[in-house]
């Protein structure tokens, strides 16, 4: 039996339902505004009726008869007077409107607890914002805090959420150490465990402090609306970037501001370095990058130095050339990557010499993702082999014109093992997980503009692209789909993005073994600078 289609209202998605809820909410607000006078009068009549009922209950029983007679006489007199009922009705409505008005007192200042908190914060800033020679100090012990503080806001728990501070002109706000002392003090006095944004106005001698809302952690991996060469690293604050992306957070559509990393021959940050602690979300970041690269038709090489097997879901997939976990396979893979970079450079150079565009296979993006490569490098050197990281110099130095992108992920404890080529050519930097301000500064080159917290969710950190500003970052949830401890919805989202496995013998070789890679590199011709490299005649067509 053929299935009957669902009604349109049930099959058109959540967009129409959301629009209907918005229209209903707007209509309710408009009706409330129109009927506000009637609501006020009704509230007043209810108050008058309650007052009359209380008065009647407190009247002694022997006096209730005369009271009823007096009331009936008053009603009779009003009824006999000219315009008496109309005037009585107007008087009743006016009295009801007066008693039904909103009597909520407007807050004109801070409460006693808030005043005490602002006073203690003012006293704590006195040693930093005052000097003995100031004839009229803005900050002084026992002074008025309302001259220095304005635009303060508190949350329901009584903690400060926003504060505008005026400070003396002689304060050395141009020195990073002086600003850091003030920020650390305000962070400690205003409440730990939250992220504060400090906006220094050095020209106006003003400091604006506000608490930042938590970044969304429920955005799973999904097909992001980006063009080839754009990779979504994560999501940040609305004021940090000038672009938003439509995403699905659970079942609700949202527009969130992304941190987009642009790669390719015209990129100024062709390679990426991500640093973090164990469990900070580095593996999720690499899986997210790999899925986006595969979606845009790129080839991916993965070297898992940690040997955790978190990239097994990508092994054998279409576009994944290799997933290596051992030093021997990683060494052969990176050697092939270096030779492939040289081959692409040679082919592109020869095509330009004869006035032709670069071959299509040299314009296909190649992504080299390395997770904790220092572990495999140490094992290779201990076994008497060559340095594994030395093979990265060619893709790092010459990868940008060859459409080769390198992503290195390492832990804080092994940063000293990375060579100079990695530090010089990875101009896009990320720091994930809990980290001290100095650690973030050493990696990104600039201190974070907010106060890092001790407890952060996985994938939370900071990002800086080239010489740009430092952004807060939350990596989209991209867990290992084979990890049963993860939420099933996140695992299913990753499985839906994985490319299929190619049929045996169909298409190009996607083997994960190092030997076919070596054979393929040998079949592609000699490396750059080799004397066996053939010459192309100028008349070649």
């Amino acid at each position: 039996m053929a299935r009957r289609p669902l009604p349109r209202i049930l099959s058109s998605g959540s967009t129409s339902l959301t629009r209907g809820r918005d229209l209903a909410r707007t209509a309710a607000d408009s009706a409330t505004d129109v009927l506000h006078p009637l609501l006020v009068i009704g509230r007043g009549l209810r108050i008058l009726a309650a007052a009359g009922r209380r008065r009647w209950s407190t009247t002694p029983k022997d006096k209730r008869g005369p009271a009823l007679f007096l009331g009936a006489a008053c009603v009779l007199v009003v009824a006999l007077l000219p315009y008496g009922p109309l005037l009585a009705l107007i008087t009743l409505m006016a009295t009801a409107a007066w008693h039904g008005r909103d009597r909520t007192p407007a807050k004109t200042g801070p409460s006693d607890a808030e005043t005490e908190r602002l006073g203690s914060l003012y006293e704590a800033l006195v040693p930093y914002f005052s000097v003995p020679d100031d004839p009229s100090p803005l900050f002084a012990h026992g002074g008025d805090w309302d001259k220095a503080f304005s635009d303060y806001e508190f949350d329901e728990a009584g903690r400060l959420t926003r504060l505008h501070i005026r400070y003396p002109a002689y304060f050395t706000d141009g020195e990073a150490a002086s600003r850091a002392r003030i920020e650390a003090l305000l962070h400690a006095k205003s409440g730990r465990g939250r992220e504060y944004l400090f906006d220094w106005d050095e020209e106006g001698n003003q400091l604006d402090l506000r608490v930042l809302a938590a970044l969304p952690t429920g955005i799973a991996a999904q097909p992001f609306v980006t063009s080839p060469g754009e990779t979504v690293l994560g999501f940040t604050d609305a004021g940090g970037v000038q672009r938003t992306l439509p995403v699905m957070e659970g079942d609700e559509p949202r527009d969130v501001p992304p941190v987009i990393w642009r790669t390719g021959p015209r990129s100024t940050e062709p390679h990426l370095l991500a640093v973090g602690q164990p469990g900070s979300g580095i593996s999720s970041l690499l899986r997210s990058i790999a899925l986006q690269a595969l979606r845009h038709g790129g080839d991916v090489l993965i070297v898992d130095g940690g040997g955790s097997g978190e990239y097994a879901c990508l092994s054998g997939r279409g576009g994944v050339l290799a997933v290596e976990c051992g030093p021997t396979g990683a060494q052969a893979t990176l050697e092939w990557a270096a030779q492939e970079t040289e081959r692409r450079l040679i082919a592109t150079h020869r095509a330009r010499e004869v006035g032709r565009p670069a071959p299509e296979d040299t314009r296909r993006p190649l992504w080299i993702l390395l997770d904790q490569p220092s572990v495999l490098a140490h094992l290779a050197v201990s076994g008497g082999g060559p340095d594994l990281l030395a093979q990265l110099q060619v893709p790092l130095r010459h990868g940008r014109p060859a459409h080769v992108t390198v992503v290195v992920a390492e832990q804080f404890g092994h940063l000293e093992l990375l060579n100079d080529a990695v530090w010089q050519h990875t101009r896009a930097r990320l720091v994930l997980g809990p980290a001290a301000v100095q650690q973030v500064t050493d990696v990104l080159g600039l201190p974070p503009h907010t106060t890092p917290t001790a407890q952060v969710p996985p994938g939370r950190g900071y990002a800086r692209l080239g010489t740009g500003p430092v952004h807060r970052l939350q990596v989209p949830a991209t867990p290992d789909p084979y990890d049963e401890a993860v939420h099933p919805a996140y695992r299913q989202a990753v499985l839906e993005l994985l490319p299929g496995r190619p049929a045996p013998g169909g298409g190009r070789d996607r083997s994960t073994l190092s030997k076919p890679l070596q054979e393929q590199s040998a079949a592609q011709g000699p490396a750059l600078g080799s004397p066996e490299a053939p010459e192309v005649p100028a008349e070649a067509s």
Side-chain angles (χ1 to χ4, degrees):
M1 180 183 297
R3 298 180 58 184
R4 296 179 61 185
L6 291 173
R8 182 176 180 84
I9 190 174
L10 298 178
S11 61
S12 58
S14 61
T15 303
S16 59
L17 297 179
T18 303
R19 188 182 301 109
R21 286 195 298 266
D22 294 339
L23 292 176
R25 189 180 298 109
T26 303
D29 294 340
S30 301
T32 302
D33 295 338
V34 173
L35 300 178
H36 181 69
L38 296 180
L39 296 176
V40 172
I41 293 175
R43 189 187 308 120
L45 291 175
R46 197 165 55 247
I47 294 174
L48 291 177
R53 194 163 45 247
R54 288 194 304 268
R55 183 65 179 271
W56 178 259
S57 62
T58 57
T59 303
K61 292 184 178 181
D62 57 341
K63 295 183 179 180
R64 290 182 178 180
L68 287 175
F69 179 77
L70 180 60
C74 293
V75 172
L76 180 60
V77 171
V78 171
L80 294 176
L81 288 175
Y83 304 105
L86 179 60
L87 293 176
L89 180 61
I90 294 175
T91 303
L92 179 62
M93 294 296 104
T95 306
W98 174 260
H99 286 279
R101 72 189 189 280
D102 188 7
R103 300 184 180 184
T104 303
K107 186 177 180 181
T108 58
S111 62
D112 295 339
E114 295 172 353
T115 301
E116 183 178 356
R117 184 178 290 271
L118 290 173
S120 63
L121 184 59
Y122 175 83
E123 292 291 336
L125 291 173
V126 168
Y128 300 92
F129 286 150
S130 64
V131 294
D133 298 336
D134 191 351
S136 57
L138 184 61
F139 285 82
H141 291 292
D144 296 332
W145 56 264
D146 54 353
K147 296 181 180 179
F149 296 164
S150 62
D151 295 338
Y152 42 80
E153 294 179 5
F154 293 85
D155 57 10
E156 294 79 3
R159 296 193 301 175
L160 195 66
T161 58
R162 183 172 183 180
L163 181 63
H164 189 77
I165 304 174
R166 293 177 53 245
Y167 56 86
Y170 50 75
F171 175 71
T172 56
D173 52 3
E175 300 178 2
S178 300
R179 294 197 303 269
R181 286 193 297 267
I182 300 299
E183 293 176 0
L185 174 64
L186 294 175
H187 184 203
K189 294 295 183 181
S190 301
R192 299 184 183 274
R194 300 182 297 174
E195 285 193 89
Y196 295 88
L197 174 63
F198 300 95
D199 187 7
W200 290 86
D201 183 7
E202 301 178 7
E203 184 178 0
N205 301 320
Q206 297 177 0
L207 169 62
D208 189 72
L209 175 149
R210 59 187 177 94
V211 177
L212 294 175
L215 295 176
T217 59
I219 301 177
Q222 54 193 279
F224 299 115
V225 184
T226 55
S227 45
E230 294 183 343
T231 303
V232 177
L233 300 178
F235 305 97
T236 184
D237 300 301
V241 295
Q242 299 179 354
R243 177 177 175 180
T244 58
L245 281 182
V247 298
M248 295 294 295
E249 185 176 2
D251 296 333
E252 295 292 333
R254 291 187 55 185
D255 288 341
V256 292
V259 177
I260 293 182
W261 173 39
R262 293 175 175 83
T263 57
R266 293 180 176 84
S267 173
T268 57
E269 303 89 21
H271 308 296
L272 175 71
L273 173 63
V275 184
Q277 301 287 359
S280 59
I282 292 292
S283 300
S284 294
L285 171 67
L286 293 186
R287 275 190 295 269
S288 176
I289 294 176
L291 292 177
Q292 295 181 64
L294 294 172
R295 177 172 172 266
H296 289 300
D299 292 332
V300 177
L301 288 172
I302 301 177
V303 176
D304 184 9
S308 58
E310 293 190 354
Y311 305 97
C313 61
L314 295 169
S315 180
R317 301 283 180 175
V320 181
L321 301 182
V323 178
E324 297 293 347
C325 301
T328 304
Q331 180 71 28
T333 299
L334 294 183
E335 288 180 358
W336 176 87
Q339 296 174 5
E340 172 67 10
T341 304
E342 296 174 346
R343 183 195 69 83
R344 292 187 176 204
L345 292 175
I346 293 175
T348 302
H349 178 68
R350 290 174 176 172
R352 290 175 178 173
E353 282 184 341
V354 297
R356 293 184 175 273
E360 183 179 356
D361 60 342
T362 64
R363 290 183 278 115
R364 183 181 179 92
L366 175 62
W367 293 75
I368 306 174
L369 310 181
L370 301 98
D371 189 359
Q372 302 183 45
S374 60
V375 177
L376 295 180
H378 175 73
L379 294 177
V381 174
S382 299
D387 186 7
L388 183 68
L389 295 177
Q391 301 295 332
L392 286 177
Q393 293 191 11
V394 174
L396 287 172
R397 296 179 187 274
H398 309 290
R400 184 168 66 93
H403 295 270
V404 178
T405 303
V406 180
V407 179
V408 180
E410 194 53 84
Q411 298 182 6
F412 278 107
H414 302 158
L415 290 181
E416 67 277 1
L417 301 179
L418 299 179
N419 53 25
D420 294 338
V422 175
W423 289 104
Q424 292 176 3
H425 297 281
T426 53
R427 293 174 50 83
R429 304 282 180 86
L430 270 77
V431 175
L432 298 182
V437 176
Q438 188 58 44
Q439 290 179 314
V440 178
T441 305
D442 292 341
V443 176
L444 302 183
L446 284 179
H449 61 293
T450 62
T451 54
T453 57
Q455 301 294 332
V456 295
R460 174 69 176 81
Y462 297 93
R464 188 187 183 200
L465 304 179
T467 58
V470 178
H471 299 284
R472 287 204 308 164
L473 183 74
Q474 178 62 51
V475 177
T478 316
D480 182 6
Y482 301 153
D483 187 1
E484 297 182 355
V486 183
H487 195 281
Y490 295 157
R491 295 165 52 193
Q492 183 63 30
V494 176
L495 289 175
E496 292 177 356
L497 293 177
L498 288 174
R501 302 181 186 275
R508 293 189 304 167
D509 184 17
R510 304 296 188 194
S511 176
T512 60
L513 301 178
S514 59
K515 183 177 179 181
L517 287 177
Q518 291 177 329
E519 294 175 353
Q520 182 180 358
S521 62
Q524 288 171 347
L528 181 64
S530 177
E532 293 81 11
E535 296 182 359
V536 178
E539 301 83 21
S541 56

